[in-house]
Amino acid sequence: MDDWAPRWTAWERDNVGLQVGRADHPGRRVRVTLDVTDDVVDEAISRRADLIVSHHPLIFRPLSSVTGADPVSRLVLRLAERQIALFSAHTNLDAARDGVSFALARRLDLTDLRFLAPLRTTLAKIVVFVPAGHTERVRDAMAAAGAGVIGAYENCAFTSSGSGSFRPGPDAAPFTGTPGRLESAEEVRLEMICPRARVDHVVRALRDVHPYEEVAVDIYDVQNRDPNAGMGVIGTLARAESPSAFARRVKSRLDTRLLRMAGTGTRRVRRVAVCGGSGSDLIAEASRAGADVFVTADVRYHTWHHLPPGLTLIDAGHWETEQVIVPVIVQHLQAMARQQRASLSVFHTELITNPVRSL
Ligand SMILES: [Zn+2]
């Protein structure tokens, strides 16, 4: 799950990963669900599951006690008593390639998918100055620690040669030069892109192989669009259809009776933007990207009043636009288990955890 939806792409205030259970305790029978409820825990117990994988975290705000006096800690206690672990992938799965919005787009038959708003806060640039002849070793160590990945390319680095100068102090044990004397050395400026969450790890790795006693490293925040993480997805329908025909498609594919829609869009629908769950923040982005329709959930009353011209907005429900990820998680874990020859059985919960009913 971490390879697919790395935790560093989660929102800062989110709480993802293992929520209940021991990290070294093997799981063999997995139930996948959008939400953790009493019914889901009952189901896990009756099906002898030892791991629940959920999209929505059970523990979101810090717990001050685990006594069962509140609904969250009661569920935590029930899981712990039955030795059922809980793992959650939330906004990191929203932001992942083939994550929630990709699943929603595919369910609506969209193709040619790309992120609507690639994340811009996930990457950093690491620059390190290396004496000539040591560049490869340092670069390889940085790459092995997770730096230098651009799309499908690994070990991406840039080097430029120059001259570095330094005066070793009396207590220094310099790699070259003499304490007290100003020295200059032929050095290479080596730069690599790196996920921000991996920066400390990469810096430790490069220090381990760098010959200098004091390593000069610069870490820059960069505003690059991350090609592997973003919010929302935009894609294309094979054939344009009327807004009402598209609305019927959404209803049938998401199996929902309730759909809210508005907007001045009357043009035929071809380009469609989607964001599973609460995606109202992306309305302007969807319009800028040329979407005819934007499908999301949790739209507030006043938002409907101020839609960009030409855009039709559809609110298809939070649960409905996100439950599409559950079978995708099941398939992903099954494929991974096959690949690693692990004996893992993975099942989709049979429960509808949506607390909202459409009458
Ligand atoms: Zn959600």
Side-chain angles (χ1 to χ4, degrees), residues 55-56 90 277 318 322:
H55 176 51
H56 293 131
H90 188 214
H318 193 116
E322 287 190 336

Side-chain angles (χ1 to χ4, degrees), residues 34-35 55-56 90 94 276-278 298 318-319 322:
L34 208 59
D35 309 285
H55 176 51
H56 293 131
H90 188 214
D94 289 326
S278 316
D298 300 345
H318 193 116
W319 188 85
E322 287 190 336

Side-chain angles (χ1 to χ4, degrees), residues 281-299:
D281 288 351
L282 294 172
I283 290 171
E285 201 67 50
S287 169
R288 266 199 297 278
D292 304 311
V293 179
F294 181 41
V295 182
T296 187
D298 300 345
V299 179

Side-chain angles (χ1 to χ4, degrees), residues 330-347:
V330 171
Q331 284 161 16
H332 179 87
L333 291 177
Q334 284 172 339
M336 201 193 63
R338 268 197 305 277
Q339 210 177 47
Q340 300 185 1
R341 296 175 194 281
S343 67
L344 196 70
S345 53
V346 190
F347 298 95

Side-chain angles (χ1 to χ4, degrees), residues 15 58 61 82 88 96 113 127 138 198 205 230 248 265 276 292 326:
N15 186 33
L58 173 62
R61 291 182 194 87
R82 295 292 188 142
S88 303
L113 307 182
V127 175
V138 174
R198 303 287 296 172
R248 282 196 298 277
D292 304 311
V326 174

Side-chain angles (χ1 to χ4, degrees), residues 52-134:
I52 294 173
V53 172
S54 75
H55 176 51
H56 293 131
L58 173 62
I59 304 173
F60 197 69
R61 291 182 194 87
L63 294 172
S64 50
S65 60
V66 185
T67 60
D70 63 286
V72 173
S73 84
R74 191 181 69 241
L75 285 167
V76 172
L77 267 184
R78 291 194 66 200
L79 290 169
E81 284 162 359
R82 295 292 188 142
Q83 300 201 1
I84 300 171
L86 169 64
F87 181 96
S88 303
H90 188 214
T91 50
N92 49 329
L93 193 55
D94 289 326
R97 188 167 288 282
D98 301 327
V100 178
S101 291
F102 277 82
L104 176 57
R106 290 189 179 119
R107 181 67 70 92
L108 300 178
D109 299 318
L110 304 178
T111 54
D112 189 20
L113 307 182
R114 62 176 178 82
F115 285 115
L116 190 57
L119 296 191
R120 289 171 179 274
T121 54
T122 53
L123 296 171
K125 173 68 80 79
I126 300 180
V127 175
V128 57
F129 299 85
V130 189
H134 291 78

Side-chain angles (χ1 to χ4, degrees), residues 57 60 65 81 84 170 182 206 209 226 256 311 318 320 343:
F60 197 69
S65 60
E81 284 162 359
I84 300 171
L182 188 66
L206 76 85
V209 298
D226 189 329
T256 174
L311 184 74
H318 193 116
E320 290 82 355
S343 67

